[in-house]
Amino acid sequence: MFKKIHDPSPNSVTVHVDGMPVCAEPGENAATVLLRQAELWVRTTPVSEKRRAPYCMMGVCFDCLALVDGALVQTCLAPVRDGMTIERQLGRRSVAS
Amino acid sequence: MTRRVDLLIVGAGPAGMSAAVAARQYGLDVLVVDEQPVPGGQIWRNIEAVCGTPREKILGKAYSEGLWTVRRFRASGAAYEPATQVWQIEPGPRVLMTRDKIASSVEAGAVLLATGAQERPAPFPGWTLPGVMTVGAAQIVIKTAGQIPDEPVWIAGSGPLPLLYAVQLLKAGGRIAGYLDTTQKGRWMSALPRFATAAAGAPLDMLKGILWLATLRRRVRYISNVSEIEAIGDNAMERLRYVTASGKSETVYARLLLVHEGLVPTIHPTLALGCTHQWNSDQDSYAADLDCWGETSQNGVFVAGDGAGIGGAKAACLRGEIAATGIALKAGVIDDQQAARLARPLRARLARALSARPFLDSLYRPRRSIFVPSDETVACRCEEVNVAGVRAEAARAGRPGPNQIKAFTRAGMGPCQGRQCNYTVANILADAEGRETPDVGLYRVRPPFKPLTLRELATLDSRDAG
Ligand code: FES
C-alpha cells in the first residue's frame, strides 16, 4: 500500500515478516515495514476476528499490535533491528504478557 | 533506584524541548523522557535524519525550522532518555516509566507534561478497515520512512493538516484520487468575523493555507461540502461512498482513504492523575485546568504545548518557555518580579502565535456526525462496540454515565483505554439523554495508562515500589 520515495539505503537491515525475510531501513519502525507488504493488515481482532492495520502511527490506537521478537507490542513504536521477527497477530486480547 | 531531578519533562516535541532549554538556563537539572527514539515530537518527527535529504524539501520550511530547536535542546545539557514509556504519575510528583523493558521511578521537583495532541477520533462506517488511516499517520510515514501511498489515494477531512499533507504528497510524486473537503457548508460565514484577527496576526500562515487550497483545487479532483463518508470492504477497504450536503452521492474504487478532523489535546496522563479539566467549547475537547504558568490542579505538575489546547508548534514552544519560567519561580531560582518580567514578552508572542486559532477553530469545526455517528458505526475500535450498542445501554433507566457504559458494553476497556472512544461515548450519551457533553464527562482513567508487562513491573526494585 505504501512505497519508498528514495532508493534503498545502503545500510539496510533484514527483518522477518511472518517468517519471510524483507528489507528494512534503520530509523523506520515495524509498522512502516508492514505497510509495504502486499497484504495490508497486522492483526485480527479478538471479538469478531476482523483484520486491522496501523491507523494512527503515533501510539494511540493500538491497532498496530503484533508480535515483535515474540512480544506483543505497538509496531508503530518499535524501531527495526537487523534480524527482528514481526508476526501478524490472530485475535490475541492482552497486551501485557 | 529512585532518581531525583529538579524537573522531569515528558515529551520531546516543541514544548518539551523549549522548556528544557529554558529550564537549563535557569540552572535547573532537567531530565526529558520521550516515547520516540529521536527528538522532535510529531510535528518535527525524525528531523535530524531527514534534514539535508530530498525529503526535507517535500516536507517544507515549517518542518525544517524544527532543526534549530532540536539542536538547542541537544546542546542544553538536559538529560534525554528516548524510547521511554511513562505509565504512571503520582502526587509528589513521582513518575513511573519503562525503558528497554526496565521500569524505574523518578521523583521530581516539578513534572512538565508536554505530551501534545492526538487526532480527533472521527468515526464513520468502515473506519476500522485496513486501508483507512489518519492523515497524520500518513504524514508520519513520510517523515519516518520516506513512504507514500503506491496508488492514488483519497483524502477526506477538514483543517490545515490534510491540505498540507496533500501538497506534500504531490511534491513527493504521489497521486490523489480525490479530495473530499468535509468542512461544513456555512462555516466560512461563521468564521468570517474572526478572519481579520487571523490575517493580522499570522498573515504568512493564512496565505500559505490559501495557496495550498488553490494548488489542490487546480491539480486534483476536489469535492466540497462532503457530509458523509463510508468505507466499504471485507478484509480491507475496496470502495468509498460519499454524500455531499446537496445530496449527491457517489461510490468509487478506493484502497486507501486518509481522514482527519482536527486535533484534541492529550489528556490521558492528567485524567489518570485526577487533575481537574475544563471543556473548551471552541475546540470541542477537554484540557487540564491550568494557571498562568501552566500548572495543573496537582501541585508541581505542569502542562505545556498542544496538551494545553491546540495552538501549533510556535505556541507550543512559547508555552514551554513560560512553564519553565513558572517552574523556576516555584523552585525559588527567580522571584515573582523577575518571573513576571521574563514572562511578559513570551506571553505577548504567545498571543500572536494563537491569533489565527479562533478563525481556524470556527472554520474547521467538525460536522455533527463526527461527534454522534450513525448507529452502525463502530464507536470503540478495540472492543468493537457500535453506536447502537452504546445507545441501547443509554436508554436504560437512570441516565448512565460513561463508566457505566464501559462496564455494560466493554467500550473503553481495550488496549487503547478509551483514547479513541472516550469523546464519542460522551457525545452519544449527551445526545441520547438531552444533556451537554461536558455535563456527561469522560471515562475514569486508571494507571497504568500505558500497557506494561508484569515482567517489566517486577524490574522496579523494592525501594521504588514503596
Ligand atoms: S498505529 Fe496506532 S498505535 Fe500504532
Side-chain angles (χ1 to χ4, degrees), chain A residues 55, chain B residues 118-124 127 264 279 284 286 368-375 377-381 385-388 390-391 394 402 405 411-412 418-432 437 440-443:
Chain A
Y55 175 72
Chain B
Q118 71 171 75
E119 286 174 281
R120 180 193 304 282
F124 58 88
W127 73 309
V264 294
W279 180 254
D284 295 289
Y286 280 101
R368 194 184 123 82
S369 65
I370 291 299
F371 301 114
V372 184
S374 59
D375 272 0
T377 308
V378 169
C380 165
R381 295 173 67 97
V385 180
N386 66 15
V387 173
V390 176
R391 279 196 187 278
I405 295 294
R419 286 172 175 84
Q420 292 291 333
C421 66
N422 214 340
Y423 282 114
T424 310
V425 166
N427 289 325
I428 296 167
L429 291 184
D431 183 63
T437 304
V440 173
L442 300 173
Y443 301 132

Side-chain angles (χ1 to χ4, degrees), chain B residues 206-285:
Chain B
M206 300 296 288
L207 185 65
K208 240 183 347 194
I210 292 167
L211 289 177
W212 294 339
L213 204 55
T215 305
L216 290 184
R217 284 183 176 272
R218 201 177 61 240
R219 292 188 50 191
V220 308
R221 189 165 169 224
Y222 192 100
I223 297 144
S224 305
N225 299 321
V226 171
S227 55
E228 251 176 73
I229 54 174
E230 178 181 0
I232 304 162
D234 192 19
N235 272 330
M237 177 171 181
E238 290 154 19
R239 277 163 295 135
L240 161 68
R241 189 181 74 91
Y242 68 86
V243 184
T244 67
S246 55
K248 180 183 158 258
S249 100
E250 192 185 9
T251 303
V252 291
Y253 166 86
R255 301 284 311 284
L256 191 55
L257 167 68
L258 306 175
V259 292
H260 178 85
E261 292 292 340
L263 303 166
V264 294
T266 299
I267 49 174
H268 222 69
T270 45
L271 284 176
L273 189 58
C275 298
T276 60
H277 288 71
Q278 214 166 60
W279 180 254
N280 178 338
S281 52
D282 280 349
Q283 300 189 341
D284 295 289
S285 52

Side-chain angles (χ1 to χ4, degrees), chain A residues 62 65 71-74 92-97, chain B residues 414-416 451-453:
Chain A
F62 290 72
L65 288 172
L72 193 62
V73 300
Q74 288 162 283
R92 173 108 71 109
R93 177 177 289 278
S94 141
V95 184
S97 57
Chain B
C416 97
L452 137 118
T453 66

Side-chain angles (χ1 to χ4, degrees), chain A residues 65-76:
Chain A
L65 288 172
L67 279 179
V68 172
D69 291 335
L72 193 62
V73 300
Q74 288 162 283
T75 51
C76 73

